[in-house]
Amino acid sequence: MNSYEEQYLDLLTDIYNGGVLSNNRTGINTRKIWGAQIHVDLLHEGFPLLTTKKMHWKSVVHELLWMIKGDTNIQYLLKNGVTFWTEWPYQKYLNHCKTLTDPDYDVHIEDLEKNCVREMTQKEFEQEIINNDEFAKKWGSIGRYGYGGMWRNFPFYDNSDPHCNKVPTTTTIGAKLDCHYETSSGYACEVGHVDQLADVIDSLKVNPDSRRIIITAWHPYHSNNREDALLPACHNYIQFGTEELTWHERLEIAREKDSRNENMYNKYSDEDFDRTGIPKYRLNCYFNMRSSDTFLGLPFNCAFYALFTHLIANQLNMIPSQLVYTAADVHLYENHLEQVKLQLTRQPRDLPKLNIKTLGKSIFDIKFEDIEIIDYNPHPAIKGEVAV
């Protein structure tokens, strides 16, 4: 059964047939609908990697590891063969090149203020980012408040003292103090930065029933400032929640782990299951998107957050259960319509399975080699150009 992909193909059909024509900042019109939701059963159906077109699994994993690190520079991605974030830094580079009056300098000059001195192809730009650390530092950033920055270093302020004389002596879990922010209108006290991901892990450990286990990637100021975020977060709100497993559910898990002691487990109490490391909770994830590119982006977003949920559950000895996607502006770009027609002719196959080789490993220490996808049997890939 693959109800995830059936829901996805139904959504493609709804937008293709009934979407409203809309223009946007990219210059490529879309067909869009307002509001959509997809429910993914991680517990029973497998891992949500589309089968009606082959997906680049490597990109899903490396993008998540990149954000978990709090990284906002594309050098890591490019060194690992992931290119879909290049467009935005590359366009910034080209726009700067066009402002220079003398385009004949060599790109490797030491003066980094003049280190954008000739137009190059996107492939050349990517190689320069990979091979030249100084160039990457200057031109490889997606902005300080791109996804990883917001996840691991979300800023908070205290404007009560215009000269920033006061710094709190205590902080919340995951907060770092750093009082040095100045605005054009005067001084504002940037008290520190919150590590939202660390807070999520800690909250799930100590208060798994909380309704406040949230990561936000949207900032009212920084997300709308192009220098701070070249592409404002599309998936901008993530919430995790748990459900306690019943005694019978825990019994089945214990039996699966050790069928030799099947009869013994019938006598176990919940305390016995706790003592022997049988999971106590299901872990659910809900993520919201302000803008959802349904052909190119959405399949990666669902696989991305499914993997995110699995990695957290793996660290905390929980069972990945529900993944819920919801979005506001849900659209198809007009240069993807032919590809969508082809995809809709294909029949979904069984979803693959995910295997994490290192049980209990911290999400902050997980490597690409720790994760593998099993029994993935998709139709051929269908390519489409990203709209920048």
Side-chain angles (χ1 to χ4, degrees):
M1 183 177 178
N2 184 354
S3 68
Y4 157 64
E5 198 153 5
E6 291 175 0
Q7 292 175 77
Y8 173 73
L9 295 176
D10 286 345
L11 179 57
L12 285 183
T13 302
D14 289 346
I15 304 170
Y16 186 91
N17 291 331
V20 175
L21 184 65
S22 176
N23 55 28
N24 59 85
R25 61 170 178 81
T26 69
I28 302 174
N29 288 340
T30 63
R31 295 183 189 180
K32 74 175 184 181
I33 62 173
W34 187 255
Q37 192 168 82
I38 291 176
H39 288 254
V40 186
D41 186 347
L42 299 176
L43 183 58
H44 299 106
E45 289 196 14
F47 189 85
L49 206 59
L50 286 188
T51 65
T52 48
K53 66 176 182 181
K54 185 177 182 180
M55 293 181 59
H56 194 232
W57 170 241
K58 185 178 179 181
S59 294
V60 176
V61 180
H62 279 302
E63 185 185 28
L64 177 58
L65 297 181
W66 178 62
M67 293 184 190
I68 287 171
K69 291 194 304 179
D71 198 348
T72 55
N73 194 293
I74 65 172
Q75 188 183 54
Y76 166 84
L77 295 177
L78 293 177
K79 284 184 175 181
N80 287 282
V82 180
T83 61
F84 55 65
W85 269 101
T86 302
E87 298 280 356
W88 291 272
Y90 178 58
Q91 286 300 318
K92 181 180 179 180
Y93 172 86
L94 290 183
N95 290 339
H96 183 75
C97 286
K98 292 175 183 176
T99 68
L100 300 178
T101 58
D102 187 354
D104 296 324
Y105 290 105
D106 186 87
V107 76
H108 294 287
I109 59 174
E110 294 181 359
D111 183 358
L112 289 181
E113 290 302 314
K114 297 179 181 178
N115 203 5
C116 175
V117 293
R118 66 177 176 88
E119 292 192 16
M120 59 177 78
T121 66
Q122 184 166 321
K123 183 61 69 175
E124 289 173 328
F125 177 82
E126 290 172 346
Q127 286 303 312
E128 197 68 30
I129 292 288
I130 292 171
N131 298 324
N132 184 339
D133 290 345
E134 290 184 330
F135 184 85
K137 184 177 180 180
K138 184 174 180 64
W139 295 110
S141 173
I142 65 166
R144 177 183 176 188
Y145 295 107
Y147 287 99
M150 298 298 269
W151 283 19
R152 305 299 308 277
N153 288 284
F154 193 95
F156 63 90
Y157 306 95
D158 179 3
N159 289 313
S160 61
D161 184 343
H163 294 96
C164 196
N165 292 323
K166 298 177 181 178
V167 177
T169 56
T170 59
T171 68
T172 58
I173 296 172
K176 296 179 290 183
L177 298 181
D178 185 15
C179 180
H180 59 40
Y181 190 79
E182 182 179 356
T183 67
S184 59
S185 59
Y187 287 90
C189 185
E190 183 174 326
V191 177
H193 300 89
V194 176
D195 187 336
Q196 297 186 87
L197 179 52
D199 282 356
V200 160
I201 300 297
D202 288 330
S203 295
L204 286 169
K205 287 179 180 177
V206 302
N207 190 14
D209 293 319
S210 173
R211 297 183 296 242
R212 302 178 181 180
I213 306 176
I214 294 166
I215 294 174
T216 178
W218 187 265
H219 192 287
Y221 174 77
H222 292 295
S223 294
N224 284 306
N225 184 335
R226 189 166 177 80
E227 288 303 310
D228 292 340
L230 295 186
L231 178 66
C234 293
H235 36 106
N236 54 20
Y237 177 95
I238 311 111
Q239 182 168 348
F240 293 95
T242 65
E243 297 168 318
E244 196 163 337
L245 294 164
T246 66
W247 181 86
H248 289 285
E249 288 172 325
R250 301 185 80 186
L251 174 62
E252 288 306 311
I253 294 171
R255 286 173 169 171
E256 288 176 7
K257 288 195 169 193
D258 186 2
S259 60
R260 295 171 302 174
N261 295 319
E262 183 173 334
N263 293 327
M264 177 186 70
Y265 291 129
N266 287 317
K267 303 175 183 178
Y268 269 33
S269 66
D270 278 317
E271 290 73 19
D272 292 325
F273 286 138
D274 291 343
R275 177 176 50 79
T276 54
I278 301 303
K280 187 176 182 178
Y281 293 98
R282 285 189 290 266
L283 180 64
N284 303 318
C285 176
Y286 167 98
F287 72 99
N288 178 75
M289 301 192 67
R290 63 171 180 85
S291 173
S292 187
D293 175 352
T294 312
F295 175 70
L296 281 183
L298 173 54
F300 278 94
N301 301 140
C302 285
F304 176 101
Y305 279 106
L307 178 57
F308 197 16
T309 305
H310 272 274
L311 292 183
I312 293 176
N314 178 69
Q315 176 179 343
L316 301 178
N317 193 29
M318 295 181 178
I319 303 296
S321 184
Q322 296 183 61
L323 176 69
V324 180
Y325 150 90
T326 187
D329 190 307
V330 188
H331 51 265
L332 289 173
Y333 284 97
E334 289 200 320
N335 61 343
H336 296 158
L337 296 181
E338 289 303 313
Q339 292 94 320
V340 169
K341 284 174 63 177
L342 171 60
Q343 188 172 359
L344 290 174
T345 66
R346 297 175 174 179
Q347 289 298 314
R349 297 168 178 169
D350 289 339
L351 292 177
K353 298 176 180 64
L354 181 75
N355 180 43
I356 302 174
K357 303 174 186 177
T358 48
L359 296 178
K361 191 171 186 178
S362 168
I363 193 172
F364 302 108
D365 298 325
I366 284 285
K367 308 294 184 186
F368 180 84
E369 296 75 20
D370 295 322
I371 306 164
E372 65 178 347
I373 205 75
I374 300 171
D375 296 331
Y376 186 41
N377 180 33
H379 292 268
I382 307 175
K383 295 185 177 180
E385 295 295 322
V386 66
V388 181

